[in-house]
Amino acid sequence: MLDAICTFDKDNPITFTVFKFQSLSADEIEQFRQSLICPSCNGKAYFRKASKDGKVACFGSRYHQADCVEFKPSKAKAHEEQAIAELNQVLVDSDALMIDFSKAASVKRASLKSEQAGLTQLERVGDNKVQKSSKTSDTSEPLIGIESTLAESIPLDSPSGQGEPMSKMASQGLEAILYSLLRGSELAESDLWIYTDSKYRWRAKNLFVNFANATPTENGAPRMYWGTLSHSDKLMEWLNPSDCKDLGIPIADYKKSLFSQFDIQERRDLEGAGIILFGKCIWNKEKTRKIIQLWGKDINRILISKLEN
C-alpha cells in the first residue's frame, strides 16, 4: 500500500503517502499509527518503519476485503488460505474443536542459530508439559467453575452446568484459528464447543475476543484474545494492539524465549503482525488501561504471525 487514510480526527480524515507519514515526528507517528485504514476497503491498516537492513517503510493491512485491489496474492496469502480451508473442513466434520497449543506455527527463522534457540525453548516447554500432565492445565492460575472430566465438564458459560460428551472431536493449532478470525470467519460467533485442554471448554462465541472488545472478566477468567499489533514500546516489553488504544500486553518476563520462537529481531517485526493468546484481562492500578496477561506465561499459548518482509 502506497497510501493510507488516518481517521484520528474522524471529521477530517487525512490521506498520507508512506513518504509523508514517515516524515512526521516520532510523537506524531505514535499518535496516528493506530488510526490508519486502507483507502480502498477501509480495513484497519498498519505502518511499518524502514528496517535496518534496507527494507523500505510501508503501509499494509491484515483486514483487506477479498476483492480489495490492495490485497495482493502472495505465498503467505496462499498459506493462510490453505490453513483456513483445513479449519473450515474440521468445523464441518466435527462436533467440537480441541486447541492444540503444542502445534508449531510456520516460522521462517533468520538463521540456524535462532532456529536452534527456538527448538531448545520448545523442548523445554514440552518437558514441562509432560511433568505437569497429571495436574491442572495451570497450577498457578486454576480455571474457575469447571469440573475436571471431559464428558462431564461444566462449561464456564453454561447456565445449566450440564456438559455433554462430543462424538467427533477435531484438533487444530493456533495458526489456522488466527487466520480464520482475521479473515472475518463465523468461528468467533459460533456455538461450537472449543476445548482448551481435555478438561475445559467454552462456546466459541464466548471464548474468542477481539482486542477491541476486551474487558476484564469476573474472577480473572481467561479468554482467547486476538487481533493485530500496532507496535511495541522502545524496549519491546509491551505489545500494543492496533484494535484499541487502552490495552497493552506485557511480555518482559518471557520476551527472550517468545522472540526466539517467532524470530522477532526488531520492533518492525511486530508492526502489523497478527496475534492470538490465551490469557486474562485485568485493569491496571489506576483503572485507566487494560492489561492482558498470558496464562501461566506459557509461550505455547501465544502465537505471533509476522508479515512477509
Side-chain angles (χ1 to χ4, degrees):
M1 285 172 53
L2 299 177
D3 306 293
I5 298 174
C6 176
T7 60
F8 182 81
D9 182 348
K10 295 183 180 179
D11 295 326
N12 298 287
I14 302 173
T15 299
F16 283 103
T17 63
V18 173
F19 176 80
K20 184 178 179 181
F21 194 83
Q22 70 177 339
S23 67
L24 296 175
S25 69
D27 288 342
E28 288 176 317
I29 289 176
E30 296 306 304
Q31 182 180 40
F32 295 151
R33 69 188 308 160
Q34 288 179 276
S35 302
L36 299 173
I37 61 173
C38 170
S40 297
C41 68
N42 294 328
K44 185 175 289 293
Y46 59 81
F47 169 72
R48 298 183 82 189
K49 298 177 182 178
S51 67
K52 296 177 182 178
D53 59 355
K55 298 182 181 70
V56 298
C58 65
F59 291 125
S61 175
R62 298 294 289 266
Y63 293 96
H64 285 307
Q65 297 296 316
D67 58 352
C68 178
V69 295
E70 297 287 354
F71 189 28
K72 299 176 182 178
S74 64
K75 290 182 179 179
K77 177 175 178 287
H79 172 71
E80 291 183 10
E81 290 184 342
Q82 179 180 353
I84 293 170
E86 291 175 357
L87 177 59
N88 288 340
Q89 190 61 46
V90 164
L91 300 181
V92 169
D93 296 338
S94 308
D95 297 320
L97 176 67
M98 173 79 74
I99 298 179
D100 182 0
F101 290 105
S102 66
K103 186 174 182 180
S106 301
V107 180
K108 292 183 179 179
R109 307 286 179 182
S111 66
L112 178 60
K113 181 178 179 180
S114 65
E115 181 175 4
Q116 291 172 336
L119 288 174
T120 300
Q121 172 63 21
L122 286 171
E123 289 167 357
R124 183 164 65 254
V125 171
D127 290 341
N128 289 339
K129 289 183 72 177
V130 171
Q131 294 171 7
K132 294 180 180 180
S133 61
S134 61
K135 302 179 181 180
T136 60
S137 61
D138 182 12
T139 55
S140 63
E141 297 181 88
L143 291 171
I144 301 167
I146 308 178
E147 294 293 343
S148 61
T149 60
L150 176 61
E152 299 177 357
S153 62
I154 301 176
L156 196 64
D157 52 13
S158 170
S160 65
Q162 296 300 316
E164 298 174 357
M166 293 296 150
S167 58
K168 291 186 292 184
M169 174 78 73
S171 177
Q172 190 58 262
L174 288 177
E175 190 173 41
I177 292 173
L178 173 61
Y179 294 156
S180 181
L181 292 169
L182 287 172
R183 294 288 186 87
S185 72
E186 296 179 357
L187 179 62
E189 306 297 330
S190 76
D191 289 321
L192 183 75
W193 283 115
I194 306 291
Y195 286 81
T196 53
D197 63 20
S198 62
K199 303 174 183 178
Y200 309 120
R201 70 178 186 177
W202 287 259
R203 294 293 187 184
K205 63 184 180 183
N206 295 331
L207 176 63
F208 298 111
V209 179
N210 182 261
F211 291 125
N213 302 318
T215 56
T217 54
E218 185 178 355
N219 297 322
R223 296 289 187 270
M224 293 293 312
Y225 296 98
W226 65 275
T228 59
L229 296 176
S230 170
H231 61 293
S232 69
D233 67 317
K234 292 182 179 180
L235 296 177
M236 299 174 71
E237 295 183 345
W238 283 82
L239 304 181
N240 300 300
S242 59
D243 308 84
C244 55
K245 301 177 183 178
D246 62 346
L247 188 153
I249 305 168
I251 60 170
D253 290 344
Y254 51 89
K255 181 178 78 170
K256 185 176 180 180
S257 57
L258 180 71
F259 285 4
S260 175
Q261 181 152 318
F262 295 108
D263 191 27
I264 305 299
Q265 304 291 330
E266 56 181 314
R267 291 181 70 195
R268 187 178 189 272
D269 291 331
L270 296 168
E271 295 164 359
I275 181 173
I276 186 169
L277 73 155
F278 187 62
K280 65 179 178 179
C281 182
I282 61 174
W283 287 110
N284 63 0
K285 292 182 179 179
E286 296 77 20
K287 291 193 174 182
T288 57
R289 186 171 174 80
K290 291 172 284 189
I291 298 171
I292 292 182
Q293 297 177 334
L294 178 64
W295 197 261
K297 299 179 183 178
D298 180 354
I299 62 170
N300 272 356
R301 295 178 177 179
I302 182 172
L303 180 136
I304 297 176
S305 174
K306 291 168 50 179
L307 295 163
E308 285 185 297
N309 291 328

